[in-house]
């Protein structure tokens, strides 16, 4: 599998406060890679930096062979990296349909907009049912599905998700993870940040562990699930429930 | 007071309210999308008015028709101003953004106002067309053609803006950017271009308002700040998140001012607007149409 | 880590004695201006500088220290000037009229303070602008005529006296700001500026601190208005209420350095000098050029002169130069 995204020695700061120190990782095409770590470790910062919302201090981000660090966010979206940010961040005053349409704003996605819209409706029927409903009247789970649907409209090659399960009931979370898995099966590479480390590691082929702005570990999903210190730090002592 | 004269006053309140609405929509657009308070909005309005005056006196073109020149001129001005001046403040945050944008737009006020003073002199200018003063009489109430046409232009403008913002793709991108610019960027929207277009659009609306002002009252270089304030009152009345709501809020203000003119005398009409403004800020900060 | 031995090295002696002595010397020099120079327009220039220092510093107390970006400063300036002028021309001794003017401004401030402080951010700014405009329009509607000094007073007009008054007020305002920063309230006020909610959570009575800053700010702005009323021979009573005065204060403080003590002083000097120079040299377009300059300054110097100076002090090149000078002139315990 070729490397799709490569992050090398990335350093990101908020003003005087440095948040990421020499972060390096690689994501291969077609993979699901998870990023776990405690609160405030810098996971969101990393995703946002890759997505172009933060200019890094130093280091490189290479996507499909070309450097993208320092590019504005919309250009990075054009290249094929789409971030589903923490907290959904939908356009609440607009309808479900309008949110989806705006997801396909780039030229590349606009060309395939109609077809993609139909596919999104097929895969996520709950959105089809609520086409004209105002986005901020949807439930939390529906909003998360809309956020993912909107991201899909942009025809991503790499889909990054920041805490998609945040604030959602367990059953809905299952649904979300199903959708993520399905999306990956259709050829989209996934980079997943999750508090719910259990589910993330079950889904991911590989994972990185971020602590206080540094990468402190990496390994296969199952491998980390089985690792004692990882379990104690991030997975709690309750053993994983049986997977479906 | 006779019913006719009350109706007449209310009607004129409606006429001026239409102008208030258009002026306010321009300001609301810029404030809603760029989150910047452009104190120089009134100055752009003033320039729009002068363009129609100038086009009329030198080329003999009807002031309403002169909009075809004034709108593109001010659209271009808006593009330039955003690129050269406002782009640098838009990316700031919080208090700094407020302070900087206020100062910069105030500097712009100085530049534009004094430029106008220099070029056009301080005299009041008015436009007299063939149909000035003429009108129809309906149930004892006088409806001047010029005022009627102004109101119609204002209504057409808001319909166009409504369709543009709510039904066209770029329009929705503007609304999306106003709601959440980061999410808009993450959707692949080029927000720099959105900001530039929005500012230019706001300037165009100022041009329209300026022309209507010149037709109704005449124009002079110093009217800028008064109109900025008026637009601001309407924006707050409508609710700062509501761009389209600025128009009905403008109409409302016009009518309320007219009514209070009858009740407390003409000299306090201005104060009424400001008192309403402060009352809304304190009692219902989200305005009439805003969502918290 | 090398030990720092403090006393008796020339560097410390400079910091402790020479700098304050220089300040005192400057003040004395400022006081001697009318004696040293005999030109009306120079006195006028220094008068304007002092007036603007007061205008700026008073706004700085509210906006720089307490973090409340008010756009209604002209209201206090206006009230002070209105009350002072009316009382003074009605044969009340100037000092009394002057002080009453300042107090009237404070009274008004306390009246509108609590309600307007319920607004946040941009709403606070435009709310204060609205209040100031209400005042301006009311005054200009009810007192539309020009106020002119009686001929007797014009004949005996003493500009140096007015300059001394302005100078004294400017020094008093700076002193008040300095004392405020050293007072028991300073921490609370600065906390409110940094993070209102955190301050509240730490037990700081936010509204009280805001009102305190507002009162002091309004008082000195009102006094500045009184000085203005003292100096102007004839003017429209509503003129001091014009928002231009507020924006001047903003620019002065902003350019000098918001929240600093010396910022408004530097800003006022720069503002008055540039404005006057432009007015003299480029009569026709001076306002336009000033406006452009205004904009450029805001874009290039977001932290004002003081921040530019701080950054310069920290810069590599200057440090090297400073070290070279130090090595040749002084023995400094930190560097060998």
């Amino acid at each position: 599998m070729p490397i799709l995204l490569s992050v090398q020695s990335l350093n990101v700061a908020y003003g005087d406060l440095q948040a990421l120190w020499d972060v390096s990782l690689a994501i291969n095409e077609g993979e699901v890679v998870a990023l776990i770590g405690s609160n405030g470790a810098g996971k969101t910062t990393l995703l946002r930096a890759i997505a172009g919302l933060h200019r890094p201090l130093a280091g490189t981000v290479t996507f499909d062979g070309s450097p993208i660090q320092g590019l504005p966010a919309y250009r990075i979206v054009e290249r094929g990296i789409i971030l589903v940010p923490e907290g959904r961040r939908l356009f609440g005053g607009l309808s479900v349909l309008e949110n989806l349409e705006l997801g396909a704003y780039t030229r590349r996605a606009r060309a395939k907009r109609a077809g993609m819209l139909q596919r999104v409706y097929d895969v996520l029927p709950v959105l089809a049912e609520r086409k004209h409903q105002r986005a901020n009247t949807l439930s939390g789970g529906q909003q998360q599905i809309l956020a993912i649907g909107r991201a899909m409209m942009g025809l991503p090659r790499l889909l990054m998700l920041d805490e998609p399960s945040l604030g959602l009931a367990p059953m809905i979370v299952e649904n979300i993870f199903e959708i993520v898995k399905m999306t990956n099966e259709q050829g989209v590479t996934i980079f997943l940040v999750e508090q719910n480390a259990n589910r993330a590691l079950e889904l991911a082929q590989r994972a990185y562990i971020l602590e206080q702005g540094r990468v402190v570990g990496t390994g296969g999903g199952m491998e980390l699930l089985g690792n004692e210190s990882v379990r104690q730090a991030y997975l709690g002592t309750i053993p994983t429930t049986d997977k479906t | 007071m006779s019913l006719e004269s009350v109706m007449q006053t209310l009607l004129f309140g409606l006429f001026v309210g239409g102008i208030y609405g258009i002026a306010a929509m321009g300001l609301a657009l810029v404030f809603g999308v760029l989150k910047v308070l452009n104190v120089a909005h009134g100055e752009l309005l003033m320039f729009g008015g002068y363009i129609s005056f100038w086009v009329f006196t030198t080329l003999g073109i009807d002031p309403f028709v002169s909009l075809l020149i004034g709108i593109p001129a001010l659209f271009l001005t808006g593009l330039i101003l955003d690129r050269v001046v406002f782009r640098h403040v838009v990316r700031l945050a919080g208090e700094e953004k407020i302070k900087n944008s206020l100062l910069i737009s105030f500097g712009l006020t100085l530049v534009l106002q004094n430029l106008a003073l220099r070029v056009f002199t301080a005299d009041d200018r008015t436009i007299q067309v063939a149909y000035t003063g003429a009108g129809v009489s309906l149930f004892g109430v006088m409806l001047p053609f010029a005022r009627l046409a102004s109101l119609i232009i204002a209504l057409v403008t808001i319909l166009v803006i409504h369709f543009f913002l709510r039904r066209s793709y770029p329009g929705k991108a503007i609304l999306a950017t106003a709601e959440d610019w980061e999410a808009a960027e993450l959707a692949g929207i080029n927000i720099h271009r959105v900001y530039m277009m929005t500012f230019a659009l706001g300037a165009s609306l100022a041009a329209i308002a300026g022309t209507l002002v010149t037709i109704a009252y005449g124009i002079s270089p110093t009217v800028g700040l008064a109109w900025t304030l008026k637009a601001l009152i309407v924006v707050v009345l409508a609710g700062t998140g509501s761009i389209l709501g600025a128009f009905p809020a403008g109409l409302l203000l016009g009518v309320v001012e007219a009514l209070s003119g009858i009740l407390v005398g003409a000299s306090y009409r201005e104060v009424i607007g400001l008192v309403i403004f402060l009352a809304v800020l304190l009692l219902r900060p989200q305005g009439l149409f805003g969502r918290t | 880590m090398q030990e720092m031995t403090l006393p008796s090295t020339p560097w410390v002696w400079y910091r402790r004695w020479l700098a304050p002595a220089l300040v005192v010397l400057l003040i004395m020099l400022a006081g001697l201006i009318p004696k040293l120079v005999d030109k009306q327009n120079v006195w006028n220039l220094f008068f304007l500088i002092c007036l603007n220092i007061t205008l700026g510093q008073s706004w700085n107390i509210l906006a720089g220290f307490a973090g409340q970006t008010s756009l209604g400063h002209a209201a206090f300036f206006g009230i002070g000037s209105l009350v002072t002028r009316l009382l003074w021309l009605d044969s009340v001794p100037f000092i009394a009229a002057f002080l009453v003017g300042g107090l009237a401004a404070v009274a008004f401030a306390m009246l509108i303070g609590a309600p307007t402080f319920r607004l946040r951010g941009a709403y606070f700014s435009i709310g204060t602008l609205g209040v100031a405009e209400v005042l301006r329009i009311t005054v200009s509607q009810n007192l539309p005529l020009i106020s002119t000094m009686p001929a007797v007073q014009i004949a005996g007009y003493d500009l140096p006296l007015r300059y001394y008054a302005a100078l004294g007020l400017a020094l008093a305002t700076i002193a008040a700001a300095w004392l405020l920063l050293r007072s028991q309230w300073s921490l609370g006020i600065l906390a409110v500026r940094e993070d209102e909610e955190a301050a509240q959570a730490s037990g700081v009575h936010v509204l009280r601190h805001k009102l305190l800053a507002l009162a002091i700010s309004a008082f000195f702005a009102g006094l500045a208005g009184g000085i203005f009323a003292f100096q102007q021979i004839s003017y429209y009573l509503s003129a001091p209420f014009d928002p231009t005065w507020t924006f001047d204060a903003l620019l002065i403080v902003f350019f000098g350095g918001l929240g600093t003590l010396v910022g408004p002083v530097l800003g006022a000097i720069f503002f008055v000098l540039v404005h006057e120079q432009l007015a003299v040299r480029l009569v026709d377009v001076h306002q336009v050029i000033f406006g452009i300059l205004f904009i450029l300054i805001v874009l290039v110097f977001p932290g004002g002169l003081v921040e530019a100076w701080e950054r310069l002090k920290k810069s590599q090149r200057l440090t090297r130069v400073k070290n070279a000078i130090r090595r040749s002139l002084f023995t400094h315990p930190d560097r060998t």
Side-chain angles (χ1 to χ4, degrees):
Chain A
M1 282 182 298
I3 294 183
L4 189 59
L5 180 80
S6 163
V7 176
Q8 274 142 352
S9 301
L10 199 66
N11 285 274
V12 176
Y14 289 102
D16 285 331
L17 201 66
Q18 184 143 357
L20 295 177
W21 304 81
D22 285 326
V23 169
S24 295
L25 53 86
I27 301 179
N28 301 310
E29 191 152 12
E31 274 193 307
V32 176
V33 176
L35 183 66
I36 62 176
S38 34
N39 260 329
K43 311 194 290 292
T44 298
T45 309
L46 180 58
L47 287 192
R48 285 168 61 98
I50 297 173
L53 291 177
H54 284 306
R55 245 222 163 91
L57 283 178
T60 55
V61 180
T62 312
F63 183 69
D64 215 11
S66 329
I68 58 166
Q69 75 280 351
L71 283 182
Y74 63 89
R75 289 239 179 275
I76 293 185
V77 170
E78 274 169 20
R79 302 276 183 116
I81 301 181
I82 301 190
L83 169 66
V84 180
E86 197 181 353
R88 268 77 78 179
R89 308 284 289 273
L90 297 170
F91 305 122
L94 302 180
S95 71
V96 166
L97 172 60
E98 286 170 333
N99 269 273
L100 290 173
E101 283 179 334
L102 284 171
Y105 204 75
T106 60
R107 207 176 302 156
R108 187 172 56 99
R110 224 185 276 200
K112 306 222 170 77
R113 199 172 77 196
M116 198 57 207
L117 191 60
Q118 195 48 57
R119 280 183 63 188
V120 167
Y121 281 152
D122 290 338
V123 172
L124 308 168
V126 65
L127 295 181
E129 291 160 22
R130 289 169 171 69
K131 257 184 247 192
H132 298 295
Q133 204 175 319
R134 260 238 204 120
N136 55 14
T137 59
L138 297 175
S139 74
Q142 291 164 347
Q143 285 191 2
Q144 188 61 60
I145 293 176
L146 177 57
I148 297 178
R150 182 179 67 179
M152 292 310 300
M153 291 294 294
L155 304 177
R157 293 182 59 198
L158 170 65
L159 182 66
M160 304 196 292
L161 296 120
D162 196 348
E163 311 262 11
S165 73
L166 201 62
L168 299 179
M171 232 178 69
I172 319 265
V173 171
E174 275 311 306
N175 198 1
I176 302 286
F177 275 96
E178 275 302 311
I179 296 171
V180 172
K181 188 154 166 231
M182 237 192 319
T183 311
N184 175 247
E185 281 160 4
Q186 309 217 322
V188 180
T189 312
I190 309 273
F191 190 26
L192 176 65
V193 162
E194 250 308 333
Q195 272 289 80
N196 189 341
N198 258 313
R199 283 307 268 118
L201 289 176
E202 283 172 11
L203 187 61
Q205 279 97 44
R206 288 192 301 122
Y208 288 90
I209 308 176
L210 199 69
E211 271 310 328
Q212 296 191 331
R214 288 169 220 271
V215 175
V216 298
T218 178
M222 292 301 143
E223 175 193 335
L224 289 175
L225 264 179
N227 183 302
E228 236 348 273
S229 34
V230 170
R231 291 185 79 87
Q232 283 198 6
Y234 306 110
L235 305 177
T237 45
I238 303 168
T240 46
T241 47
D242 41 321
K243 312 147 219 157
T244 31
Chain B
M1 263 202 129
S2 68
L3 182 64
E4 271 95 22
S5 56
V6 171
M7 290 298 295
Q8 186 82 69
T9 313
L10 284 181
L11 203 62
F12 268 78
L14 210 62
F15 287 141
V16 80
I19 304 180
Y20 286 168
I22 300 295
M25 249 198 327
L27 193 66
L29 253 179
V30 172
F31 193 50
V33 178
L34 285 80
K35 313 283 192 261
V36 157
L37 192 61
N38 179 16
V39 180
H41 186 70
E43 259 59 36
L44 294 172
L45 185 153
M46 180 262 295
F47 262 98
Y50 266 109
I51 289 178
S52 67
F53 170 78
W54 185 75
V55 161
F56 173 73
T57 39
T58 52
L59 299 173
I61 297 180
D62 178 87
F64 288 110
V65 177
S66 76
L67 282 172
L68 292 171
I69 299 176
I71 293 175
L74 238 32
F75 187 84
L76 193 64
T77 309
L79 289 178
I80 296 173
L81 282 177
D82 177 82
R83 193 72 181 78
V84 173
V85 179
F86 284 96
R87 174 172 287 214
H88 307 279
V89 271
V90 158
R91 286 296 210 167
L92 299 173
E95 277 293 312
E96 221 192 312
K97 182 173 183 173
I98 297 171
K99 276 199 289 278
N100 282 35
S101 59
L102 282 173
L103 279 172
I104 286 186
S105 51
F106 182 67
L108 208 56
T109 309
L110 281 181
V111 172
L112 293 173
Q113 197 182 110
N114 287 285
L115 212 55
L117 270 169
R118 183 91 178 80
V119 175
F120 300 119
T121 81
D123 297 332
D124 280 332
R125 312 279 183 174
T126 53
I127 291 183
Q128 300 285 343
V129 275
Y131 51 85
T132 304
V136 289
S137 193
L138 210 62
F139 306 114
V141 173
M142 176 68 160
L143 298 162
F145 287 134
R147 298 299 187 116
L148 267 176
S150 294
L151 189 60
I152 293 172
I153 300 259
L155 287 168
V156 167
T157 305
I158 175 144
L159 276 171
V160 169
I161 297 289
H162 179 267
F163 271 100
F164 173 67
L165 285 179
R166 297 232 99 242
R167 301 255 182 269
S168 80
Y169 209 30
K172 287 186 217 182
I174 292 179
L175 288 179
T177 309
E179 274 220 47
D180 190 336
W181 65 268
E182 272 192 346
E185 248 203 316
L186 291 176
I189 296 173
N190 181 346
I191 57 169
H192 286 304
R193 202 181 291 162
V194 168
Y195 287 153
M196 209 159 58
M197 287 297 144
T198 306
F199 198 85
L201 199 58
S204 308
L205 288 170
I208 298 175
T211 303
L212 298 180
V213 166
T214 308
I215 294 171
Y217 308 107
I219 196 81
S220 88
T222 51
V223 298
L225 193 60
W227 278 99
T228 302
L229 216 51
K230 195 66 81 173
L232 195 56
I233 293 173
V234 175
V235 167
V236 167
L237 191 60
T240 47
S242 170
I243 295 168
L244 294 164
F247 190 73
L251 291 174
L252 185 65
L253 183 68
V255 170
V256 168
E257 275 189 349
L259 268 176
S260 43
I262 298 176
L263 296 171
V264 294
S267 53
Y268 281 101
R269 245 195 347 218
E270 295 299 307
V271 184
I272 289 291
L274 285 163
V275 170
I276 293 177
F277 169 74
L278 291 168
V280 171
L281 272 183
L282 288 171
L283 301 172
R284 198 188 153 85
Q286 72 269 33
L288 293 171
F289 311 114
R291 313 166 230 131
T292 23
Chain C
M1 189 83 175
Q2 284 177 324
E3 262 195 26
M4 268 247 293
T5 44
L6 271 181
S8 76
T9 56
W11 178 248
V12 179
W13 177 79
Y14 162 74
R15 290 279 293 274
R16 248 204 175 170
W17 299 112
L18 193 55
L22 275 174
V23 172
V24 171
L25 194 66
L26 277 170
I27 295 176
M28 290 201 320
L29 235 109
L32 289 172
I33 294 285
K35 298 282 164 40
L36 297 172
V37 189
D38 195 32
K39 295 173 102 186
Q40 281 270 354
N41 50 356
V42 172
W43 296 343
N44 209 34
L45 196 73
F46 277 87
F47 172 83
L48 278 175
I49 291 178
C50 291
L51 186 68
N52 278 290
I53 289 177
T54 310
L55 196 66
Q57 191 68 278
S58 56
W59 189 78
N60 188 32
I61 290 174
L62 183 61
F65 297 169
Q68 310 300 306
T69 311
S70 139
L71 290 183
H73 207 57
F76 309 131
F77 187 69
I79 291 177
S81 77
L82 184 69
V83 170
T84 304
R85 185 77 165 186
L86 291 178
L87 288 178
W88 181 49
L89 290 188
D90 204 26
S91 310
V92 173
F94 175 72
I95 303 280
F98 173 65
L99 287 169
V100 173
L103 292 171
V106 178
F108 181 73
M110 292 301 100
L111 189 69
I112 58 142
T116 38
F117 279 135
R118 283 174 50 193
L119 304 170
R120 293 273 176 277
Y123 293 98
F124 173 74
S125 301
I126 58 185
T128 49
L129 180 64
V131 169
E133 277 296 286
V134 171
L135 217 53
R136 184 183 65 78
I137 293 173
T138 311
V139 169
S140 83
Q141 291 286 354
N142 289 300
L143 296 164
L145 302 171
I146 297 184
S147 156
T148 311
M149 272 185 203
V152 158
Q153 290 199 0
I154 300 182
Y157 190 85
D158 185 356
L159 185 53
L161 174 65
R162 282 150 175 84
Y163 165 65
Y164 283 128
L167 178 65
L169 183 60
L171 293 171
T173 314
I174 299 172
W178 185 74
L179 284 171
L180 184 65
L181 283 181
R182 299 173 84 82
S183 74
Q184 54 178 306
W185 299 289
S186 74
L187 211 56
I189 290 177
L190 295 175
V192 166
R193 174 185 73 190
E194 292 307 317
D195 189 334
E196 225 175 276
E197 283 171 4
Q200 181 99 322
S202 314
V204 173
H205 196 298
V206 169
L207 183 60
R208 226 177 266 167
H209 282 78
K210 282 185 183 176
L211 287 173
L212 178 65
L214 177 66
I216 301 176
S217 171
F219 183 58
F220 285 99
L223 291 180
I227 296 284
F228 179 78
F230 189 37
Q231 184 249 11
Q232 293 281 304
I233 293 181
S234 66
Y235 69 105
Y236 283 103
L237 285 169
S238 61
F241 290 90
D242 195 279
T244 318
W245 291 101
T246 305
F247 285 109
D248 286 353
L250 241 90
L251 178 72
I252 288 168
V253 174
F254 204 91
F255 181 67
L258 184 71
T260 67
L261 205 54
V262 77
V265 179
L266 299 175
I269 295 174
F270 174 85
F271 174 77
V272 173
L273 287 178
V274 171
H275 207 223
E276 295 302 301
Q277 278 302 301
L278 284 177
V280 161
R281 286 166 202 280
L282 297 161
V283 184
D284 285 339
V285 294
H286 78 274
Q287 287 277 54
V288 177
I289 305 288
F290 192 73
I292 295 177
L293 201 61
F294 202 126
I295 296 174
L296 283 171
I297 286 171
V298 174
L299 288 176
V300 175
F301 276 118
L305 277 174
V306 172
E307 188 200 294
W309 177 241
E310 293 292 317
R311 245 189 270 164
L312 193 66
K313 280 204 289 188
K314 284 196 207 143
S315 85
Q316 297 277 24
R317 218 177 283 167
L318 193 62
T319 318
R320 267 183 256 138
V321 172
K322 275 206 301 195
N323 283 340
I325 295 178
R326 276 195 205 142
R327 255 178 261 125
S328 59
L329 290 181
F330 304 129
T331 15
H332 192 64
D334 262 1
R335 309 183 200 289
T336 26

